Amino acid sequence: MKIIQWYPGHMTKAVREMESNLKKVDAVIYLLDARAVNACINPKLDRLAEGKPVLYLINKKDTVEKQACELWIKKFAGQGKECLATDSASGRDGGAVTAALMRLTSEKREKYRAKGANISVRAMVVGIPNSGKSTLINSLCPKKKTVTGDKPGVTRGQQWISLAKGIDLLDTPGTLWPSFENQTYARHLAYIGSIKDDVLDKNELAAELLAELEPKYPDCFRARYGELRGSGIEMLEQVAAKRGYLLRGGEADYDRAAAAVIDDFRKRRIGKIMLEYPDD
């Protein structure tokens, strides 16, 4: 598979703006996709957040099994990091998120109170593209004020949103890193939709997805596509045949089959699949 690389110019600008705005915030909320936690940890964002209290949110917890998500919670806790599993789309975890943020910033708020100041806690929300930052903010906000979407790059500018609970949140564009040294992580980000589809060879990506995940989750793939055998491209051909995605002459329509496999994975039609475990 060809090397995956995607770092549009607006991300460079976004990082510069984050560096400037970090001086204005009390904490950082760091979103990670539950399916690919390691791949979502951006070294650049880690360096930016140094010295600030960080609340890690393993988001989209509904995409993986609960016990698998708990393994990550345990790992972060073992490192002394504040971490929660969330599903920002449902809006059910808002109370836990705000409570954790208030715990993290209790010392700073106490300093404000000691000076007789009633100042809102300011937190910057960061993460890779399509990690659910804007959706999280909307779930915490009485009135939706951000733009959301299921494609990377929806949020292009940085915007402050005031919550009713004395918290101001800064929504930031999703940010990757300039060079993917680990192409396994790059593939995982591509699987979950954090890299723009237009820069990917979706046929190769779907074949890689099948080759990597079918052996790990055979029951899930069998329930969706029936028995699959062989290499990734051979399994993609079998999916095309089973679905009737054929061109004139009976040749496999790789484009339709690849689009279906990737969409099935992203929309959980194959099942709840975690790409990376803490011990990987």
Side-chain angles (χ1 to χ4, degrees), residues 79-130:
Q79 295 172 343
K81 297 175 180 177
E82 185 83 25
C83 181
L84 296 174
T86 58
D87 173 17
S88 59
S90 73
R92 290 191 292 266
D93 301 307
V97 172
T98 54
L101 184 59
M102 297 304 266
R103 284 197 305 273
L104 269 179
T105 58
S106 60
E107 185 176 338
K108 189 72 175 262
R109 289 186 295 107
E110 187 57 41
K111 289 180 180 179
Y112 288 155
R113 281 195 294 267
K115 295 178 181 179
N118 186 18
I119 300 175
S120 294
V121 171
R122 289 188 148 198
M124 179 184 290
V125 184
V126 303
I128 62 164
N130 204 30

Side-chain angles (χ1 to χ4, degrees), residues 184 187-188 191 207-217 221 232 235 275-276:
T184 297
R187 285 199 309 275
H188 291 175
Y191 295 163
E208 290 282 350
L209 187 153
L210 289 166
E212 179 180 353
L213 300 180
E214 194 280 337
K216 297 177 181 177
Y217 294 89
F221 279 83
M235 287 191 275
L275 300 171
E276 301 160 9

Side-chain angles (χ1 to χ4, degrees), residues 168-238:
D168 291 336
L169 299 181
L170 178 59
D171 190 19
T172 64
T175 308
L176 296 170
W177 41 102
S179 178
F180 287 118
E181 295 179 3
N182 187 317
Q183 282 292 299
T184 297
Y185 289 170
R187 285 199 309 275
H188 291 175
L189 293 176
Y191 295 163
I192 65 178
S194 293
I195 295 176
K196 196 173 183 179
D197 283 338
D198 293 351
V199 305
L200 301 169
D201 184 324
K202 294 185 77 172
N203 294 352
E204 286 190 4
L205 187 67
E208 290 282 350
L209 187 153
L210 289 166
E212 179 180 353
L213 300 180
E214 194 280 337
K216 297 177 181 177
Y217 294 89
D219 293 341
C220 292
F221 279 83
R222 192 176 297 118
R224 184 66 183 170
Y225 304 117
E227 184 141 1
L228 300 175
R229 293 184 178 181
S231 66
I233 196 64
E234 288 171 336
M235 287 191 275
L236 189 60
E237 290 174 353
Q238 292 159 33

Side-chain angles (χ1 to χ4, degrees), residues 4-148:
I4 295 175
Q5 192 59 265
W6 186 53
Y7 194 74
H10 75 270
M11 290 188 185
T12 301
K13 178 182 177 183
V15 170
R16 285 199 300 265
E17 291 180 354
M18 282 189 224
E19 289 173 335
S20 176
N21 282 318
L22 270 167
K23 303 169 187 175
K24 307 172 186 176
V25 303
D26 306 306
V28 173
I29 299 176
Y30 198 146
L31 265 71
L32 308 166
D33 190 302
R35 294 166 293 182
V37 174
N38 274 330
C40 292
I41 297 175
N42 183 340
K44 183 70 173 179
L45 295 182
D46 284 348
R47 288 192 292 272
L48 287 176
E50 283 179 359
K52 297 285 183 180
V54 180
L55 172 59
Y56 292 90
L57 298 183
I58 299 180
N59 197 33
K60 304 185 182 183
K61 65 181 182 181
D62 59 311
T63 61
V64 300
E65 296 293 347
K66 182 179 179 181
Q67 58 269 32
C69 200
E70 288 173 348
L71 294 174
W72 278 109
I73 300 291
K74 184 177 179 180
K75 179 174 181 176
F76 277 85
Q79 295 172 343
K81 297 175 180 177
E82 185 83 25
C83 181
L84 296 174
T86 58
D87 173 17
S88 59
S90 73
R92 290 191 292 266
D93 301 307
V97 172
T98 54
L101 184 59
M102 297 304 266
R103 284 197 305 273
L104 269 179
T105 58
S106 60
E107 185 176 338
K108 189 72 175 262
R109 289 186 295 107
E110 187 57 41
K111 289 180 180 179
Y112 288 155
R113 281 195 294 267
K115 295 178 181 179
N118 186 18
I119 300 175
S120 294
V121 171
R122 289 188 148 198
M124 179 184 290
V125 184
V126 303
I128 62 164
N130 204 30
S131 57
K133 298 181 302 299
S134 296
T135 302
L136 170 73
I137 293 173
N138 286 340
S139 73
L140 300 173
C141 205
K143 295 181 180 179
K144 292 186 177 181
K145 298 181 181 180
T146 62
V147 179
T148 64

